[in-house]
Coordinates of all heavy atoms in Angstrom, one line a residue:
M259 N -9.9 -37.0 68.2 CA -9.2 -36.2 67.1 C -8.2 -35.3 67.7 O -8.5 -34.6 68.7 CB -10.3 -35.5 66.3 CG -9.8 -34.9 65.0 SD -11.1 -34.1 64.1 CE -12.0 -35.5 63.6
N260 N -7.1 -35.2 67.2 CA -6.0 -34.3 67.7 C -6.0 -33.0 66.9 O -5.5 -33.0 65.7 CB -4.7 -35.0 67.6 CG -4.4 -35.8 68.9 OD1 -4.9 -35.4 69.9 ND2 -3.5 -36.8 68.7
G261 N -6.4 -31.9 67.5 CA -6.3 -30.6 66.8 C -7.3 -30.5 65.6 O -7.9 -31.5 65.2
P262 N -7.2 -29.3 65.0 CA -8.1 -29.1 63.9 C -7.6 -29.8 62.6 O -6.4 -29.8 62.3 CB -8.1 -27.6 63.7 CG -6.7 -27.2 64.2 CD -6.4 -28.2 65.3
W263 N -8.5 -30.5 62.0 CA -8.1 -31.2 60.7 C -8.9 -30.4 59.6 O -10.1 -30.6 59.5 CB -8.5 -32.6 60.8 CG -7.9 -33.4 59.6 CD1 -6.6 -34.0 59.6 CD2 -8.5 -33.7 58.4 NE1 -6.4 -34.6 58.4 CE2 -7.5 -34.5 57.6 CE3 -9.7 -33.5 57.8 CZ2 -7.8 -34.9 56.4 CZ3 -10.0 -33.9 56.6 CH2 -9.1 -34.6 55.8
M264 N -8.1 -29.7 58.8 CA -8.7 -28.8 57.9 C -8.6 -29.4 56.5 O -7.5 -29.6 56.0 CB -8.0 -27.4 57.9 CG -8.2 -26.7 59.2 SD -9.9 -26.2 59.6 CE -10.0 -24.9 58.3
S265 N -9.7 -29.6 55.9 CA -9.7 -30.0 54.5 C -11.1 -29.8 53.9 O -12.0 -29.5 54.6 CB -9.2 -31.4 54.3 OG -10.3 -32.3 54.7
G266 N -11.1 -30.0 52.6 CA -12.4 -29.9 52.0 C -12.4 -30.4 50.6 O -11.4 -30.5 49.9
V267 N -13.6 -30.6 50.1 CA -13.8 -31.0 48.7 C -14.8 -30.0 48.1 O -15.9 -29.7 48.7 CB -14.3 -32.4 48.5 CG1 -14.6 -32.7 47.1 CG2 -13.4 -33.4 49.1
Q268 N -14.4 -29.4 46.9 CA -15.3 -28.5 46.3 C -15.6 -29.1 44.9 O -14.7 -29.5 44.1 CB -14.7 -27.1 46.1 CG -15.6 -26.1 45.5 CD -14.9 -24.7 45.3 OE1 -13.7 -24.7 45.0 NE2 -15.6 -23.7 45.5
V269 N -16.9 -29.2 44.6 CA -17.3 -29.7 43.3 C -17.9 -28.5 42.5 O -18.8 -27.8 43.0 CB -18.3 -30.8 43.4 CG1 -18.7 -31.3 42.0 CG2 -17.7 -31.9 44.2
R270 N -17.4 -28.3 41.3 CA -17.9 -27.2 40.4 C -18.4 -27.7 39.1 O -18.1 -28.9 38.7 CB -16.8 -26.2 40.2 CG -16.3 -25.5 41.5 CD -15.1 -24.6 41.2 NE -13.9 -25.4 41.0 CZ -13.0 -25.2 40.1 NH1 -13.1 -24.2 39.2 NH2 -11.9 -26.0 40.0
R271 N -19.1 -26.9 38.4 CA -19.6 -27.2 37.0 C -20.4 -28.4 36.9 O -20.2 -29.2 36.0 CB -18.3 -27.3 36.1 CG -17.5 -26.0 36.0 CD -16.2 -26.2 35.3 NE -16.3 -26.9 34.0 CZ -16.6 -26.3 32.9 NH1 -16.7 -25.0 32.8 NH2 -16.7 -26.9 31.7
M272 N -21.3 -28.6 37.9 CA -22.2 -29.7 37.8 C -23.4 -29.5 37.0 O -24.3 -30.4 36.8 CB -22.6 -30.1 39.2 CG -21.5 -30.8 40.1 SD -20.9 -32.3 39.4 CE -22.2 -33.5 39.7
E273 N -23.6 -28.4 36.3 CA -24.8 -28.1 35.5 C -24.7 -29.0 34.3 O -23.7 -29.5 33.8 CB -24.8 -26.6 35.0 CG -25.2 -25.7 36.2 CD -24.0 -25.3 37.0 OE1 -22.9 -25.7 36.7 OE2 -24.2 -24.6 38.0
H274 N -25.9 -29.3 33.8 CA -26.0 -30.1 32.6 C -25.2 -29.6 31.5 O -25.3 -28.4 31.1 CB -27.5 -30.2 32.2 CG -27.7 -31.2 31.1 ND1 -27.7 -32.6 31.3 CD2 -28.0 -31.0 29.8 CE1 -27.9 -33.2 30.1 NE2 -28.1 -32.2 29.2
G275 N -24.5 -30.5 30.8 CA -23.7 -30.1 29.7 C -22.3 -29.7 30.0 O -21.5 -29.5 29.1
Q276 N -22.0 -29.4 31.3 CA -20.7 -29.0 31.7 C -19.9 -30.2 32.2 O -20.4 -31.3 32.5 CB -20.7 -28.0 32.8 CG -21.4 -26.7 32.4 CD -21.2 -25.6 33.5 OE1 -21.4 -25.9 34.6 NE2 -21.0 -24.4 33.1
T277 N -18.6 -30.1 32.2 CA -17.7 -31.1 32.7 C -17.4 -30.8 34.2 O -16.8 -29.9 34.5 CB -16.4 -31.1 32.0 OG1 -16.6 -31.4 30.6 CG2 -15.5 -32.3 32.5
P278 N -17.9 -31.7 35.1 CA -17.7 -31.5 36.5 C -16.3 -31.5 36.9 O -15.5 -32.3 36.3 CB -18.5 -32.6 37.2 CG -19.5 -33.0 36.2 CD -18.8 -32.8 34.8
I279 N -15.9 -30.7 37.9 CA -14.5 -30.7 38.4 C -14.6 -30.8 39.9 O -15.4 -30.0 40.5 CB -13.8 -29.5 38.0 CG1 -13.6 -29.3 36.5 CG2 -12.4 -29.5 38.7 CD1 -13.0 -28.0 36.1
A280 N -13.9 -31.8 40.5 CA -13.9 -31.8 42.0 C -12.4 -31.6 42.4 O -11.5 -32.2 41.9 CB -14.3 -33.2 42.5
D281 N -12.3 -30.6 43.3 CA -11.0 -30.3 43.9 C -11.0 -30.7 45.4 O -11.9 -30.2 46.1 CB -10.7 -28.8 43.8 CG -10.2 -28.4 42.4 OD1 -9.2 -29.0 41.9 OD2 -10.9 -27.6 41.8
Q282 N -10.1 -31.5 45.7 CA -9.9 -31.8 47.2 C -8.6 -31.2 47.7 O -7.6 -31.3 47.0 CB -9.8 -33.3 47.4 CG -9.6 -33.7 48.8 CD -9.6 -35.2 49.1 OE1 -9.6 -36.0 48.1 NE2 -9.6 -35.6 50.3
L283 N -8.7 -30.5 48.8 CA -7.6 -29.8 49.3 C -7.5 -30.1 50.8 O -8.5 -30.1 51.5 CB -7.9 -28.3 49.1 CG -6.7 -27.3 49.5 CD1 -5.5 -27.5 48.6 CD2 -7.2 -25.9 49.5
C284 N -6.3 -30.4 51.2 CA -6.0 -30.6 52.6 C -5.0 -29.6 53.1 O -3.8 -29.6 52.6 CB -5.5 -32.0 52.9 SG -5.1 -32.3 54.6
T285 N -5.4 -28.8 54.0 CA -4.5 -27.7 54.5 C -3.5 -28.3 55.5 O -2.5 -27.6 55.8 CB -5.2 -26.5 55.1 OG1 -6.0 -27.0 56.2 CG2 -6.1 -25.9 54.1
A286 N -3.7 -29.5 56.0 CA -2.8 -30.1 57.0 C -1.5 -30.5 56.3 O -0.4 -30.4 56.8 CB -3.5 -31.2 57.7
C287 N -1.6 -31.2 55.1 CA -0.4 -31.7 54.5 C -0.2 -31.1 53.1 O 0.8 -31.4 52.5 CB -0.6 -33.2 54.3 SG -1.8 -33.7 53.1
G288 N -1.1 -30.3 52.7 CA -0.9 -29.6 51.4 C -1.3 -30.4 50.2 O -1.1 -30.0 49.1
M289 N -2.0 -31.5 50.4 CA -2.4 -32.3 49.3 C -3.5 -31.6 48.5 O -4.4 -31.0 49.0 CB -3.0 -33.6 49.9 CG -3.5 -34.6 48.8 SD -5.2 -34.3 48.2 CE -6.1 -35.0 49.6
H290 N -3.4 -31.7 47.2 CA -4.4 -31.2 46.3 C -4.6 -32.2 45.2 O -3.7 -32.7 44.6 CB -4.0 -29.9 45.6 CG -5.0 -29.4 44.7 ND1 -4.6 -28.8 43.4 CD2 -6.3 -29.3 44.7 CE1 -5.7 -28.5 42.8 NE2 -6.8 -28.8 43.6
K291 N -5.9 -32.6 45.1 CA -6.2 -33.6 44.1 C -7.4 -33.1 43.2 O -8.4 -32.5 43.8 CB -6.6 -34.9 44.8 CG -7.0 -36.0 43.8 CD -7.3 -37.3 44.7 CE -7.6 -38.5 43.8 NZ -7.8 -39.7 44.6
R292 N -7.3 -33.2 41.9 CA -8.4 -32.7 41.1 C -8.9 -33.9 40.2 O -8.1 -34.7 39.7 CB -7.9 -31.6 40.1 CG -8.9 -31.2 39.1 CD -8.5 -30.0 38.4 NE -8.7 -28.8 39.3 CZ -8.5 -27.6 38.9 NH1 -8.1 -27.3 37.7 NH2 -8.8 -26.6 39.8
V293 N -10.2 -34.0 40.2 CA -10.9 -35.1 39.4 C -11.8 -34.4 38.4 O -12.6 -33.5 38.8 CB -11.7 -36.0 40.3 CG1 -12.4 -37.1 39.5 CG2 -10.7 -36.7 41.3
T294 N -11.7 -34.7 37.2 CA -12.6 -34.1 36.2 C -13.4 -35.2 35.5 O -13.0 -36.3 35.3 CB -11.8 -33.3 35.1 OG1 -10.9 -34.2 34.5 CG2 -11.1 -32.2 35.8
G295 N -14.6 -34.8 35.1 CA -15.5 -35.7 34.4 C -16.6 -36.2 35.3 O -16.3 -36.5 36.5
R296 N -17.8 -36.3 34.8 CA -19.0 -36.6 35.7 C -18.9 -37.9 36.3 O -19.0 -38.0 37.6 CB -20.3 -36.5 34.9 CG -21.5 -36.6 35.7 CD -22.8 -36.3 34.9 NE -22.7 -34.9 34.4 CZ -23.2 -33.8 35.1 NH1 -23.7 -34.0 36.3 NH2 -23.1 -32.6 34.6
A297 N -18.5 -38.9 35.6 CA -18.4 -40.3 36.2 C -17.3 -40.4 37.2 O -17.5 -41.0 38.3 CB -18.2 -41.3 35.1
K298 N -16.2 -39.7 36.9 CA -15.1 -39.8 37.8 C -15.4 -39.0 39.1 O -15.0 -39.4 40.2 CB -13.8 -39.2 37.1 CG -13.2 -40.2 36.1 CD -11.9 -39.7 35.5 CE -11.4 -40.6 34.5 NZ -10.2 -40.1 33.9
V299 N -16.0 -37.9 38.9 CA -16.4 -37.1 40.1 C -17.4 -37.8 41.0 O -17.2 -37.8 42.2 CB -16.9 -35.7 39.7 CG1 -17.6 -35.0 40.9 CG2 -15.8 -34.8 39.1
E300 N -18.3 -38.5 40.4 CA -19.3 -39.2 41.1 C -18.7 -40.4 41.9 O -19.0 -40.6 43.1 CB -20.5 -39.7 40.2 CG -21.4 -38.6 39.8 CD -22.4 -39.0 38.8 OE1 -22.4 -40.2 38.4 OE2 -23.3 -38.2 38.5
D301 N -17.8 -41.1 41.2 CA -17.1 -42.2 41.9 C -16.2 -41.6 43.0 O -16.2 -42.2 44.1 CB -16.2 -42.9 40.9 CG -16.9 -43.9 40.0 OD1 -18.1 -44.1 40.3 OD2 -16.4 -44.4 39.1
F302 N -15.6 -40.5 42.8 CA -14.7 -39.9 43.7 C -15.5 -39.5 45.0 O -15.0 -39.8 46.1 CB -14.1 -38.6 43.1 CG -13.1 -37.9 44.0 CD1 -12.0 -38.4 44.5 CD2 -13.4 -36.5 44.3 CE1 -11.1 -37.7 45.3 CE2 -12.6 -35.8 45.1 CZ -11.4 -36.4 45.6
M303 N -16.6 -38.9 44.8 CA -17.4 -38.4 46.0 C -18.0 -39.6 46.7 O -18.2 -39.6 47.9 CB -18.5 -37.5 45.5 CG -18.0 -36.2 44.9 SD -16.8 -35.3 45.9 CE -17.9 -34.8 47.3
R304 N -18.4 -40.7 45.9 CA -19.0 -41.8 46.6 C -18.0 -42.5 47.5 O -18.3 -43.2 48.4 CB -19.5 -42.8 45.5 CG -20.4 -43.8 45.9 CD -20.9 -44.7 44.7 NE -21.7 -43.9 43.8 CZ -21.5 -43.8 42.5 NH1 -20.5 -44.5 42.0 NH2 -22.2 -43.1 41.7
A305 N -16.7 -42.4 47.1 CA -15.7 -43.1 47.9 C -15.3 -42.3 49.2 O -14.4 -42.8 49.9 CB -14.4 -43.2 47.1
N306 N -16.0 -41.2 49.5 CA -15.8 -40.5 50.7 C -14.4 -40.0 50.8 O -13.6 -40.5 51.7 CB -16.2 -41.3 51.9 CG -16.4 -40.4 53.2 OD1 -16.2 -39.2 53.1 ND2 -16.9 -41.0 54.2
P307 N -13.9 -39.2 49.9 CA -12.5 -38.8 49.9 C -11.9 -38.2 51.1 O -10.8 -38.3 51.5 CB -12.4 -37.9 48.7 CG -13.8 -37.4 48.5 CD -14.7 -38.5 48.9
L308 N -12.8 -37.5 51.9 CA -12.3 -36.8 53.1 C -11.9 -37.9 54.1 O -10.9 -37.8 54.7 CB -13.4 -35.9 53.7 CG -13.7 -34.6 52.8 CD1 -14.8 -33.8 53.5 CD2 -12.4 -33.8 52.7
A309 N -12.8 -38.8 54.3 CA -12.5 -39.9 55.3 C -11.3 -40.7 54.9 O -10.4 -41.1 55.6 CB -13.7 -40.8 55.5
E310 N -11.2 -41.0 53.5 CA -10.2 -41.8 53.0 C -8.8 -41.1 53.2 O -7.8 -41.6 53.6 CB -10.4 -42.0 51.5 CG -9.6 -43.1 50.9 CD -10.1 -43.4 49.5 OE1 -9.6 -42.7 48.6 OE2 -10.9 -44.3 49.4
H311 N -8.8 -39.7 52.9 CA -7.6 -39.0 53.1 C -7.2 -38.9 54.5 O -6.0 -38.9 54.9 CB -7.7 -37.6 52.4 CG -6.4 -36.8 52.6 ND1 -5.2 -37.2 52.0 CD2 -6.1 -35.8 53.4 CE1 -4.3 -36.3 52.4 NE2 -4.8 -35.5 53.3
R312 N -8.2 -38.7 55.4 CA -7.9 -38.5 56.8 C -7.1 -39.7 57.4 O -6.3 -39.6 58.2 CB -9.2 -38.3 57.6 CG -9.0 -37.9 59.0 CD -10.3 -37.7 59.8 NE -11.1 -36.6 59.3 CZ -12.3 -36.7 58.8 NH1 -12.9 -37.8 58.6 NH2 -12.9 -35.6 58.4
A313 N -7.4 -40.9 56.8 CA -6.7 -42.1 57.3 C -5.2 -42.1 56.9 O -4.5 -42.8 57.5 CB -7.4 -43.3 56.7
V314 N -4.9 -41.4 55.8 CA -3.5 -41.5 55.3 C -2.8 -40.2 55.4 O -1.6 -40.1 55.1 CB -3.5 -42.0 53.8 CG1 -4.1 -43.4 53.7 CG2 -4.2 -41.0 52.9
C315 N -3.5 -39.1 55.9 CA -2.9 -37.8 55.9 C -1.7 -37.7 56.9 O -1.7 -38.3 58.0 CB -3.9 -36.8 56.4 SG -3.3 -35.1 56.4
Q316 N -0.6 -37.1 56.4 CA 0.6 -36.9 57.2 C 0.8 -35.4 57.3 O 1.6 -34.9 56.5 CB 1.8 -37.7 56.6 CG 1.6 -39.2 56.6 CD 2.8 -39.9 56.0 OE1 3.3 -39.5 55.0 NE2 3.2 -40.9 56.7
P317 N 0.3 -34.8 58.3 CA 0.4 -33.3 58.4 C 1.8 -32.9 58.5 O 2.6 -33.5 59.2 CB -0.4 -33.0 59.6 CG -1.3 -34.2 59.8 CD -0.6 -35.4 59.3
K318 N 2.1 -31.8 57.8 CA 3.4 -31.2 58.0 C 3.5 -30.6 59.3 O 2.6 -30.0 59.9 CB 3.6 -30.1 56.9 CG 3.7 -30.6 55.5 CD 3.7 -29.5 54.5 CE 3.8 -30.0 53.1 NZ 3.6 -28.9 52.1
T319 N 4.7 -30.7 59.9 CA 5.0 -30.0 61.2 C 5.8 -28.8 60.9 O 6.7 -28.8 60.1 CB 5.7 -30.9 62.1 OG1 6.9 -31.5 61.5 CG2 4.8 -32.1 62.6
T320 N 5.4 -27.7 61.6 CA 6.1 -26.5 61.3 C 7.1 -26.1 62.5 O 6.9 -26.6 63.5 CB 5.1 -25.3 61.2 OG1 4.2 -25.3 62.3 CG2 4.3 -25.5 59.9
Ligands
ZN5 ZN1 -3.8 -34.2 54.4

């Protein structure tokens, strides 16, 4: 791995009756992706979005 690869996925509002929201953020390239809805969030997390993005991430050079 070359240098720090900073990113994360935060899932909110998973309580019963709420609409879950997953936010994926990559500080290397600035990508931000939001998924809403329980089924969509579950599919999104099952697909391992961090590993998936890492494969296609094109970090900005400063
Ligand atoms: Zn990225």
Side-chain angles (χ1 to χ4, degrees):
M259 192 179 288
N260 269 334
W263 193 84
M264 298 290 291
S265 77
V267 176
Q268 185 181 37
V269 181
R270 293 175 287 138
R271 294 169 56 84
M272 286 301 285
E273 287 83 6
H274 184 73
Q276 294 188 320
T277 301
I279 299 173
D281 281 303
Q282 181 179 6
L283 186 66
C284 178
T285 57
C287 69
M289 181 275 283
H290 178 224
K291 183 177 182 179
R292 172 166 289 182
V293 179
T294 58
R296 187 169 300 273
K298 286 183 180 177
V299 168
E300 286 176 356
D301 281 351
F302 178 63
M303 297 308 291
R304 197 175 296 127
N306 197 354
L308 290 179
E310 195 170 88
H311 177 70
R312 190 180 292 120
V314 299
C315 182
Q316 296 182 313
K318 291 174 182 170
T319 52
T320 52

